Amino acid sequence: MVDVSARRDAAPRTARSGAFPTADAARRYRLLIAVFAVAAVLIAAGILWWDNPAPVGTSGFWRIVELRISSVAVIAVVAICQGIATITFQTVTANRIVTPSLMGFESLYTAISTAAIFFFGAAGAIALQGAGPYLLQIVVMLVFSGILYGWLLSGRYANVQIMLLVGIILGGALAAFSTFLQRLLTPTEFDLLTARLIGSVANADVTYLPIAVPLLAVAVAALWIGGGRLNLLGLGRPVALSLGSSHRRDSILALLMVSILMAVSTSLIGPMTFFGFLVAMLTYQLADTFDHRRMFAMSVLVGFVVLGGAYVVLKHVFYAAGSVGIIVEIVGGTAFLIHLLRKGRL
């Protein structure tokens, strides 16, 4: 005889729960959000208080904490930008391997930095510092992406795959141009350039945040409000169109918001090619949902824990805080290769 009470107890565990496949998945998501939130708070506290030479509670102690707040803010900005931008980009392109870096944002940043130092020497490196040059770099990247998306996604034969191919080609051309100029630099100029091209929290200037934060807020708010449209885009073009989605318009708007996020992040700390992929991959595995708003929330916490945790360990354990970008890229690149080999295709 079938145990009816056992069936009733098992039913809630397999029933769907809104954006999640099962009620268990929903409970698991809430638990993971709480765990990562606590971890993020502990990491932020570690950055602010660990190895503070001044006695706790003194004016010197709080002065050092105030100086370190900028590092926490930079890590938070980068985590938000990279995670949300990568998830959105992969939804629009219907591919969980490609990243916004393929569109040439980081190659454009490298080309701008290289050209400035090549033509103006050390004065070029100084000229790239400050709020004005930072905003100019963001504008150049947005114009670049706006032309690219407007041209390749609004024509009669608009195609996301062609957009990706053109972006890869342009990125390769910019990278080749940068490499050519780098070979002509003096050793001193090359050292100055290398310091700018390695993704590092130390590269960020606190004066950039008043520009970065409002742009970040606008882009994230637009993507958060349009979370339902992203859910439709995630179903694929034929299904999205059948459900009344303006697929082309929604795709272009989403990609423009991705451009803002990537421009803010890259101009702030430099290129981090595989960080966004690592955060997005972990988010997909942990969130187990199709809802983009929930994935966005998870990606922000995961990104902060990954980048902030690496920063704390490397700064206070190995005393190599400048290597954070290198370590994250190595881990992210390895995860990318493993994921690609397991999937077997792009």
Side-chain angles (χ1 to χ4, degrees):
M1 182 179 294
V2 178
D3 190 345
V4 177
S5 61
R7 292 177 59 184
R8 289 176 179 173
D9 292 338
R13 298 178 65 83
T14 59
R16 290 185 60 82
S17 179
F20 299 93
T22 65
D24 280 348
R27 285 191 290 270
R28 177 172 173 268
Y29 174 86
R30 289 193 291 268
L31 176 62
L32 289 173
I33 283 288
V35 169
F36 276 99
V38 172
V41 171
L42 293 176
I43 288 172
I47 295 174
L48 296 176
W49 295 331
W50 192 354
D51 201 23
N52 191 323
V56 178
T58 63
S59 59
F61 176 87
W62 291 113
R63 190 173 297 112
I64 294 174
V65 168
E66 290 176 2
L67 294 174
R68 293 181 176 182
I69 287 177
S70 60
S71 297
V72 177
V74 169
I75 292 172
V77 167
V78 174
I80 294 171
C81 289
Q82 293 281 344
I84 293 179
T86 303
I87 291 174
T88 303
F89 188 79
Q90 291 178 346
T91 296
V92 173
T93 58
N95 193 313
R96 289 191 173 184
I97 290 181
V98 298
T99 66
S101 300
L102 291 176
M103 299 307 297
F105 293 109
E106 295 176 353
S107 297
L108 180 60
Y109 171 84
T110 301
I112 293 173
S113 300
T114 304
I117 294 178
F118 176 79
F119 289 110
F120 303 105
I126 298 174
L128 290 176
Q129 298 177 356
Y134 174 70
L135 182 59
L136 180 60
Q137 289 182 78
I138 292 177
V139 171
V140 171
M141 292 182 182
L142 292 180
V143 170
F144 172 79
S145 60
I147 294 174
L148 189 63
Y149 299 148
W151 171 42
L152 296 175
L153 289 181
S154 61
R156 179 180 179 184
Y157 302 103
N159 189 291
V160 172
Q161 283 69 35
I162 294 177
M163 178 197 72
L164 289 174
L165 180 60
V166 172
I168 293 172
I169 293 173
L170 291 177
L174 290 171
F177 171 74
S178 301
T179 302
F180 172 73
L181 294 184
Q182 288 169 15
R183 292 182 180 276
L184 302 178
L185 297 176
T186 65
T188 302
E189 293 171 343
F190 186 79
D191 288 342
L192 290 173
L193 177 63
T194 302
R196 290 187 56 85
L197 298 185
I198 296 177
S200 173
V201 177
N203 282 347
D205 188 335
V206 69
T207 59
Y208 298 170
L209 294 178
I211 299 174
V213 172
L215 291 174
L216 166 68
V218 170
V220 171
L223 292 173
W224 185 272
I225 294 172
R229 296 188 180 91
L230 290 175
N231 293 341
L232 289 180
L233 294 178
L235 297 174
R237 188 173 185 275
V239 177
L241 290 175
S242 66
L243 293 176
S245 170
S246 179
H247 189 275
R248 183 178 300 177
R249 183 197 64 188
D250 292 344
S251 296
I252 293 176
L253 290 177
L255 289 174
L256 288 176
M257 296 304 105
V258 168
S259 301
I260 293 176
L261 294 175
M262 290 302 297
V264 167
S265 174
T266 304
S267 299
L268 185 63
I269 69 167
M272 297 190 73
T273 305
F274 293 109
F275 176 62
F277 171 81
L278 178 62
V279 172
M281 184 182 67
L282 291 174
T283 299
Y284 297 141
Q285 298 298 321
L286 296 173
D288 192 21
T289 178
F290 65 86
D291 186 68
H292 281 75
R293 292 173 181 170
R294 289 176 170 84
M295 285 194 288
F296 288 163
M298 179 69 77
S299 70
V300 170
L301 292 175
V302 169
F304 188 91
V305 169
V306 170
L307 186 58
Y311 180 80
V312 169
V313 171
L314 289 173
K315 181 177 181 180
H316 297 292
V317 178
F318 298 102
Y319 303 101
S323 303
V324 171
I326 298 174
I327 299 301
V328 170
E329 291 297 273
I330 291 174
V331 174
T334 303
F336 177 84
L337 290 176
I338 294 173
H339 185 73
L340 179 60
L341 292 174
R342 290 179 60 187
K343 192 177 181 66
R345 63 182 178 84
L346 286 175

